[in-house]
Amino acid sequence: MTHSDAPTTEFAWTALGGNPDLLPRLSTVVRSGALEARLPVRELARACVGACALAAAELGARRAGLADLPEARVDDGAVATAFLSERHLLVDGRAPVTFAPLSRFWRTADGWVRTHANYPHHRARLLGALGLPDGASVEAVAGCLAERSAVEVEDAVYAAGGLAVALRTPEEWAWHEQGAAVAGQPLVERGALGSAVPRRLPPLAGDPLSPAAGLRVLDLTRVIAGPVATRTLALLGADVLRVDPPELPELADQHTDTGFGKRSATLDLTAGRHDRQVFEELLASADVVVTGYRPGALDRFGLSAEALAERRPGIVVGQLSAWGAYGPWSGRRGFDSLVQVATGIAALEGDGEKPGALPAQALDHGTGYLLAAGVLRAVTEGLDEGGTRFVRPALARTAAWLTAGDAAGRGGATTAASRSGTTTAAASGSSEGSYSDSGSAEASYGDPTPWLAEADSALGRLRYALPPVSFAGGPGDWSRPPGPWGADSPRWV
């Protein structure tokens, strides 16, 4: 990892295979006070959203027959609000609970461990691994963990199918076999399989604001990062159908936050032929499949990139994971909060006595926008080159990108002076020019109200964060609010 890998839109755009000559088409509104942290969270968030906006503008211009790329814009205020969307959400005035009581830091005999037990089955596995009854209190769990080492807890809970990660410093993660495997990978793995003919998409009649119009997206993701990606594709005009197993309902508020623009259905791919047949019919006319389960977990259903290249040549496959599809932890479950703990982020953001956390679940949100951008770029590339294309980001790789400046110089890239940012006006007409993410701040961020909206839905009156992806003056909002989880028919519009 080098200092040049530190979070910038240029680095993200290049990692996605984007033409650097298009970067001057992106303008930035920098706001002090947005996503403040010791690490360059604001810069990472800005870069991920900026790359997504460029990818959307690129595909929109191509399909609309425009000679020049529409001007894209990234505003730190919109980005910061969107990266906290699950906290800004109100349902009939009620704020959601983002973490369950047993999802937290715990002191161990030799350090700290963080657990994730938001889902009932994860809570049950955690308590089972600790030898505690189902109704065990926070105090009982704390007493049990205080007697064990952090790594011992990590191993025992993961062996039971639960989620717990020992706190590590950046140096400890760098020496860890999984940390070394992650550091050796590109920011986003991407490539092509097979020799499918280039895809054809109908033109957009001069309007670039719906670059994903006509695309059918099968959304097999959960929690935040994957649903943020597909929520973004829905914003851009795609027909997004989320499909979940009926026995694993999504947390209600989480579904509400990330369900904008989509439909939600359930299918049991393991129990009977009917649901499997329905799924195969959906897949037969899908343009994009996005998965967010552990690498290999869906291979038995023929959903590996290689199998999809044979069954549905020319499809775009987005595969999101926590730890990456490589290294000894590739098969482990993971969430943003746990990746922060393993990779040294929690140690860097702590106060020396207790570990800390980023001001937002930035690994989730940032990786979600990288995934959406990767899918859009894959569609654009497929128009010329054909082939089945895959895109594979990982939360742990995004974490490595966030900490790159710290690794290069122990905060040399994260001081207030070097993080102040700039506004770079988009070039007009020509794509020639220079691009920079750094300079002087123009405004401040405090009140998120300008980037919040309200709407009625089947779930109640919603207050929610507006989308931060903007180009050619839009798109301003999703076409539909979320509905109840699993309530839609498993079919395309």
Side-chain angles (χ1 to χ4, degrees):
M1 200 71 59
T2 66
H3 177 69
S4 62
D5 296 341
T8 64
T9 308
E10 181 177 9
F11 183 82
W13 182 241
T14 303
L16 292 166
N19 181 352
D21 290 343
L22 299 180
L23 283 165
R25 301 300 297 166
L26 178 68
S27 63
T28 305
V29 177
V30 175
R31 297 181 187 273
S32 61
L35 299 175
E36 289 188 324
R38 295 178 180 178
L39 289 166
V41 178
R42 181 184 62 179
E43 286 75 6
L44 178 135
R46 181 194 300 155
C48 294
V49 173
C52 189
L54 277 174
E58 178 189 38
L59 180 57
R62 175 69 182 273
R63 295 187 63 191
L66 303 181
D68 295 318
L69 199 73
E71 180 179 317
R73 178 184 175 91
V74 59
D75 188 315
D76 283 350
V79 172
T81 305
F83 268 57
L84 290 164
S85 63
E86 67 274 12
R87 300 186 203 175
H88 289 301
L89 177 70
L90 292 179
V91 182
D92 286 334
R94 176 188 59 82
V97 176
T98 54
F99 284 101
L102 298 188
S103 296
R104 49 170 285 187
F105 285 109
W106 309 85
R107 189 177 286 279
T108 63
D110 62 349
W112 293 88
V113 70
R114 182 151 191 173
T115 55
H116 195 288
N118 285 3
Y119 289 97
H121 57 291
H122 290 156
R123 183 181 187 279
R125 292 168 185 172
L126 169 65
L127 294 175
L130 300 179
L132 295 172
D134 182 57
S137 65
V138 169
E139 292 75 18
V141 175
C144 180
L145 294 177
E147 298 174 353
R148 307 188 185 191
S149 74
V151 172
E152 177 190 355
V153 172
E154 176 182 273
D155 291 341
V157 174
Y158 264 104
L163 294 120
V165 171
L167 178 71
R168 290 175 172 85
T169 65
E171 293 80 8
E172 289 169 335
W173 180 244
W175 282 103
H176 192 279
E177 190 174 352
Q178 186 63 32
V182 168
Q185 298 296 324
L187 178 61
V188 179
E189 292 183 272
R190 45 193 299 279
L193 300 166
S195 56
V197 298
R199 67 170 55 243
R200 294 183 180 275
L201 292 174
L204 296 178
D207 180 9
L209 286 179
S210 297
L215 292 176
R216 291 173 167 175
V217 179
L218 266 179
D219 176 4
L220 307 178
T221 68
R222 297 178 69 81
V223 196
I224 297 178
V228 163
T230 51
R231 180 180 71 181
T232 303
L233 296 175
L235 170 76
L236 300 173
D239 179 6
V240 179
L241 179 64
R242 173 166 168 167
V243 177
D244 286 289
E247 72 277 9
L248 287 177
E250 182 62 282
L251 300 174
D253 291 332
Q254 205 153 254
H255 165 72
T256 301
D257 176 49
T258 58
F260 284 86
K262 313 181 203 177
R263 292 174 299 117
S264 169
T266 61
L267 289 172
D268 190 341
L269 302 186
T270 63
R273 295 181 59 185
H274 176 265
D275 281 14
R276 184 61 188 270
Q277 181 179 348
V278 171
F279 181 80
E280 291 298 324
E281 291 171 356
L282 290 169
L283 181 61
S285 56
D287 301 290
V288 179
V289 173
V290 184
T291 66
Y293 292 77
R294 289 172 295 155
L298 300 179
D299 288 4
R300 58 187 168 140
F301 304 120
L303 293 175
S304 69
E306 293 74 16
L308 286 169
E310 295 181 3
R311 298 164 66 203
R312 181 71 170 135
I315 200 168
V316 173
V317 185
Q319 297 175 311
L320 172 77
S321 64
W323 307 105
Y326 35 75
W329 283 18
S330 61
R332 289 195 175 193
R333 298 173 178 88
F335 293 93
D336 180 306
S337 58
L338 302 183
V339 176
Q340 289 188 40
V341 172
T343 59
I345 291 173
L348 291 171
E349 291 292 338
D351 59 9
E353 296 295 326
K354 184 178 179 180
L358 299 177
Q361 296 194 68
L363 305 181
D364 262 333
H365 285 272
T367 306
Y369 288 107
L370 287 176
L371 176 55
V375 167
L376 295 168
R377 291 240 59 258
V379 171
T380 300
E381 291 175 336
L383 294 174
D384 295 321
E385 303 169 14
T388 299
R389 314 191 84 80
F390 64 86
V391 182
R392 294 181 186 135
L395 301 187
R397 184 58 185 85
T398 304
W401 186 35
L402 177 62
T403 58
D406 183 84
R410 273 288 160 234
T414 64
T415 63
S418 64
R419 293 187 56 229
S420 57
T422 191
T423 298
T424 302
S428 59
S430 171
S431 64
E432 297 179 358
S434 60
Y435 176 82
S436 172
D437 272 355
S438 60
S440 300
E442 270 204 347
S444 61
Y445 176 76
D447 181 7
T449 301
W451 302 283
L452 296 174
E454 293 191 6
D456 290 318
S457 76
L459 302 173
R461 181 71 176 174
L462 305 180
R463 188 194 74 175
Y464 60 97
L466 289 166
V469 174
S470 178
F471 61 99
D477 203 345
W478 289 274
S479 61
R480 54 176 287 168
W485 178 85
D488 295 297
S489 298
R491 59 180 178 81
W492 298 115
V493 172

